[in-house]
Amino acid sequence: MDRAAQVTLPLLAVFTDRLRSRLNQQSLASAAETQWPALGGLLHATAHCAPRLEEWSDSEPLAALLPREVPHAESAEPGASAGGAFGAVLLAWSELELEIEQLAHETVTATFGAAARKYIADRRAFRFVTAEATTSLDITPTFCNPLSTLRADLSGVLAALPARSCRRVALAVAASLDELLWGGLLRSAPCSEAGGVQLAHDMRALVGLFAPFASRPHTLLRRVHEACVLLRLPRAARAALLAEVTAAAGAGAGAELQGELEELQIFRLGPAEVKEVLSNLQDD
């Protein structure tokens, strides 16, 4: 038992320090230099080892190695809630996992934000899109690079990270992009009718990149999706809905208006936000 305490725990401490060192190296790298296989390797290492340590912690004679008052991780992930002989190690690994996933989330979000800066800054260009320009509905040229960058990063995440980490990172990225695109573009971009269709086409291409992570990817970027629904409404339906949400301003959505919004699959945006989107649309 003493030998196990003198050998096993120090070896695990060295292993944990090496994981931390490799994570620090990745943290210091620029977003463009991030190595998804390296981050994935760290997560796969803890995902593989943690369940075994958790099992061994409760077995004799290891259960008696350390006092019962050992740290307990708050995470619900496998390997993160064990006490016993390896409780402190499992807690350290759980914290490492969270840091790695946060780094992945920040890297993908920052890379997309930098690539999409010009696209978002040029949002007034949608005011001048004509019906002829939307017949083929190609992606807006300035949005091609952001989409390509995001596709590459999400593919890297999907290929390298364990499944549970993959989904958590994708959910966090989607939430950040939903906030970025709603706040910086969709609620303020003046659009011609054709420009609204083009903007919706761009956004739907982005939403589609999250299909590997959810059977209904639009639920991950709810405000982006719902803005697309509004941008594609026929002119008459759009005018009628704008009149209703304008009349409801300050009073909130009544049951009838709420029912109409739900029929359109508008659940996240309220009447004031719907009004913002529709007010930016100008008939050609």
Side-chain angles (χ1 to χ4, degrees):
M1 185 184 306
D2 290 340
R3 181 175 179 79
Q6 294 171 4
V7 176
T8 306
L9 293 178
L11 284 176
L12 286 171
V14 171
F15 178 64
T16 302
D17 287 342
R18 289 184 178 178
L19 294 177
R20 167 66 63 184
S21 176
R22 294 188 180 185
L23 173 58
N24 290 340
Q25 291 175 4
Q26 288 297 311
S27 299
L28 293 173
S30 67
E33 296 171 334
T34 298
Q35 300 293 318
W36 295 118
L39 289 181
L42 298 178
L43 287 169
H44 278 291
T46 58
H48 176 77
C49 296
R52 286 156 180 79
L53 284 192
E54 197 169 37
E55 178 183 350
W56 295 341
S57 291
D58 298 326
S59 63
E60 294 293 344
L62 295 178
L65 274 178
L66 294 180
R68 293 182 180 276
E69 294 79 10
V70 294
H72 285 258
E74 296 182 357
S75 171
E77 289 303 323
S81 60
F86 302 115
V89 176
L90 292 167
L91 176 60
W93 289 359
S94 178
E95 292 171 347
L96 272 172
E97 286 184 3
L98 293 176
E99 290 181 45
I100 294 167
E101 291 169 7
Q102 180 66 23
L103 175 60
H105 162 218
E106 292 174 353
T107 297
V108 177
T109 303
T111 302
F112 176 84
R117 190 173 294 122
K118 177 174 174 53
Y119 177 76
I120 294 174
D122 290 346
R123 57 187 175 274
R124 292 187 180 277
F126 289 103
R127 174 67 186 89
F128 306 104
V129 176
T130 62
E132 291 77 12
T134 61
T135 54
S136 62
L137 280 183
D138 291 330
I139 299 298
T140 300
T142 53
F143 200 51
C144 290
N145 183 50
L147 275 183
S148 177
T149 300
L150 181 61
R151 182 183 295 108
D153 278 339
L154 291 179
S155 295
V157 166
L158 187 62
L161 273 58
R164 69 173 188 266
S165 294
C166 233
R167 178 161 175 78
R168 284 198 295 259
V169 170
L171 288 173
V173 169
S176 293
L177 298 193
D178 194 52
E179 179 68 30
L180 171 68
L181 294 168
W182 167 252
L185 177 65
L186 292 165
R187 72 186 306 174
S188 59
C191 299
S192 64
E193 189 172 25
V197 173
Q198 179 65 57
L199 178 55
H201 180 68
D202 292 347
M203 293 299 101
R204 291 172 75 178
L206 178 139
V207 171
L209 296 182
F210 288 86
F213 306 97
S215 59
R216 302 170 65 203
H218 67 275
T219 61
L220 305 185
L221 298 100
R222 176 58 75 175
R223 284 178 294 185
V224 168
H225 168 71
E226 292 181 5
C228 290
V229 171
L230 295 171
L231 291 170
R232 295 178 62 87
L233 284 177
R235 183 178 302 185
R238 187 173 72 241
L241 182 57
L242 178 58
E244 290 187 57
V245 295
T246 300
E256 184 177 350
L257 175 56
Q258 188 64 45
E260 291 182 31
L261 292 176
E262 291 179 0
E263 283 185 15
L264 293 172
Q265 301 299 302
I266 305 294
F267 301 102
R268 177 68 173 78
L269 300 181
E273 294 165 316
V274 170
K275 180 183 176 183
E276 282 184 290
V277 177
L278 296 180
S279 296
N280 288 325
L281 277 165
Q282 303 174 31
D283 295 336
D284 296 336

